[in-house]
Amino acid sequence: MSNCRHNPLKPYPATIVKIIDETPDVKTFQMVFDDPAVMESFRQKPGQVAQLSVFGVGEATISITSSPTRKGILEFSVKKVGMLTSALHCLEPGTKVGIRGPYGNHFPYEVMKGKDLLFIGGGIGLAPLRALIDFVLAEENRGDYGKIDIIYGARSMDDLCFKYDILDRWPQMPGTTVYTTIDRAEPGWEGHVGFVPAYLEEINPSPENKYAITCGPPIMIKFVLQALEKMGFSDDQVITTLELKMKCGIGKCGRCNIGSKYVCLDGPVFYLSQLKQLPPEF
Ligand SMILES: Cc1cc2nc3c(=O)[nH]c(=O)nc-3n(C[C@H](O)[C@H](O)[C@H](O)COP(=O)(O)OP(=O)(O)OC[C@H]3O[C@@H](n4cnc5c(N)ncnc54)[C@H](O)[C@@H]3O)c2cc1C
Ligand code: FES
């Protein structure tokens, strides 16, 4: 980002314009930079992250969940887990925050052209996938991609993020099928019940001319990867995005390295074939 050239660690002031309660512990924050020139030059790609700061508290790495095709606004979905994320959850629309980035690599949407895409997400793991889903579904890009299948699950109905997308908007898009599941049956839920990897095996998608892109809790990813392998997906057809701890975001602090790779520079998006070459600590 050209405006970060002088001090790459300097956050730019932004304002929260809207907050959406997704689940009891996840909120989506819509933000705009205070300086329109910064907004204009912030050219993120799907899969990239930013460092969000709450002044006086600190910073956290958060995926940009809005597609770059959506101009003039950035969205971040944040799960409350600790100090910074709890402080963010206490903020109201109108509050000033800091944003620096965009950081990391991105989903290889150029090489995915002409392919069918299978998205597999769990819980807050849908946040980074959503940026790519909305990118490929955008009118200007839709013709470049084949069929879109989205398999998404959460523990309960309450824990489903982006209900307005998964239950309403995406199923209405041409060539798009959304499969939603929750872990355990509950009153009022008439959809599928069961874990995401089991639902994936039930749906049994063909690997032909397809990329699978997955993000979710580590245990889900582990079994999803096993299921995809069983279905015949090669390691170069499977892409995931890691959420290891990051601090600086620019390859300086050494907080995010796995062997010789830095998640903030070489990732967070990796092909399964790349992950298999890394030490087993991810
Ligand atoms: C590439 C990337 C993308 C991310 N995208 C998102 C996103 O879109 N939405 C979102 O809500 N979160 C995302 N995260 C995770 C987010 O950065 C952390 O949850 C956040 O930094 C926690 O800050 P905190 O001060 O609230 O928690 P802390 O007070 O620092 O920690 C609270 C607890 O959570 C643990 N913890 C903190 N960060 C992580 C982590 N990354 N992985 C595992 N455990 C952790 C700590 O060890 C501690 O036990 C992402 C992380 C990375 C690296
Ligand atoms: S987050 Fe500092 S080196 Fe990657």
Side-chain angles (χ1 to χ4, degrees):
M1 183 186 169
S2 58
N3 48 290
C4 282
R5 227 174 256 148
H6 300 299
N7 179 358
L9 295 174
K10 178 183 164 193
Y12 283 82
T15 301
I16 298 172
V17 291
K18 188 173 173 186
I19 300 174
I20 301 164
D21 288 320
E22 301 284 356
T23 76
D25 57 4
V26 176
K27 289 185 181 188
T28 295
F29 298 84
Q30 292 184 353
M31 299 182 183
V32 291
F33 285 107
D34 293 350
D35 179 348
V38 175
M39 193 81 239
E40 177 57 31
S41 62
F42 193 94
R43 300 275 165 85
Q44 89 273 18
K45 293 181 172 169
Q48 286 194 294
V49 301
Q51 292 287 345
L52 292 189
S53 40
V54 177
F55 299 122
V57 181
E59 284 189 317
T61 313
I62 305 292
S63 305
I64 304 165
T65 186
S66 49
S67 162
T69 51
R70 193 158 168 213
K71 305 285 181 209
I73 203 157
L74 293 171
E75 282 187 328
F76 301 92
S77 296
V78 181
K79 184 168 181 155
K80 187 167 133 181
V81 296
M83 216 166 66
L84 190 284
T85 50
S86 299
L88 257 176
H89 272 239
C90 290
L91 302 182
E92 301 285 342
T95 310
K96 302 273 181 216
V97 291
I99 303 175
R100 61 184 176 92
Y103 297 129
N105 66 353
H106 58 88
F107 291 113
Y109 57 84
E110 303 92 340
V111 302
M112 291 173 172
K113 283 185 180 175
K115 306 284 186 190
D116 293 341
L117 303 181
L118 168 66
F119 292 92
I120 308 153
I124 183 77
L126 188 58
L129 304 185
R130 180 174 178 257
L132 180 62
I133 293 171
D134 276 338
F135 178 84
V136 300
L137 290 179
E139 215 179 324
E140 60 268 44
N141 298 324
R142 186 66 189 94
D144 291 337
Y145 301 92
K147 198 171 170 316
I148 309 293
D149 287 318
I150 301 162
I151 304 174
Y152 176 60
R155 277 174 305 182
S156 67
M157 249 157 66
D158 264 3
D159 290 307
L160 291 168
C161 292
F162 312 113
K163 293 183 189 68
Y164 41 91
D165 287 332
I166 53 161
L167 302 177
D168 186 18
R169 195 166 61 89
W170 290 338
Q172 294 183 41
M173 304 294 250
T176 306
T177 309
V178 184
Y179 303 88
T180 308
T181 185
I182 58 173
D183 289 357
R184 277 172 293 279
E186 60 182 271
W189 178 253
E190 288 172 4
H192 189 274
V193 174
F195 295 126
V196 168
Y199 198 19
L200 168 66
E201 292 204 35
E202 216 176 283
I203 296 163
N204 195 20
S206 154
E208 200 181 328
N209 197 41
K210 190 172 288 165
Y211 280 104
I213 308 107
T214 185
C215 185
I219 187 75
M220 184 208 89
I221 296 204
K222 179 179 169 197
F223 289 110
V224 161
L225 295 181
Q226 286 175 7
L228 290 171
E229 199 167 354
K230 249 197 281 177
M231 286 166 200
F233 282 80
S234 75
D235 294 349
D236 288 325
Q237 284 177 283
V238 179
I239 293 163
T240 187
T241 174
L242 297 184
E243 285 201 0
L244 284 190
K245 277 199 148 185
M246 275 170 55
K247 185 87 180 158
C248 69
I250 58 171
K252 300 280 186 216
C253 72
R255 281 280 290 271
C256 70
N257 68 302
I258 318 173
S260 61
K261 299 278 185 206
Y262 287 93
V263 174
C264 66
L265 298 179
D266 305 301
V269 174
F270 292 95
Y271 285 92
L272 181 54
S273 49
Q274 294 173 310
L275 286 186
K276 283 191 171 171
Q277 289 168 7
L278 297 177
E281 53 205 87
F282 70 88

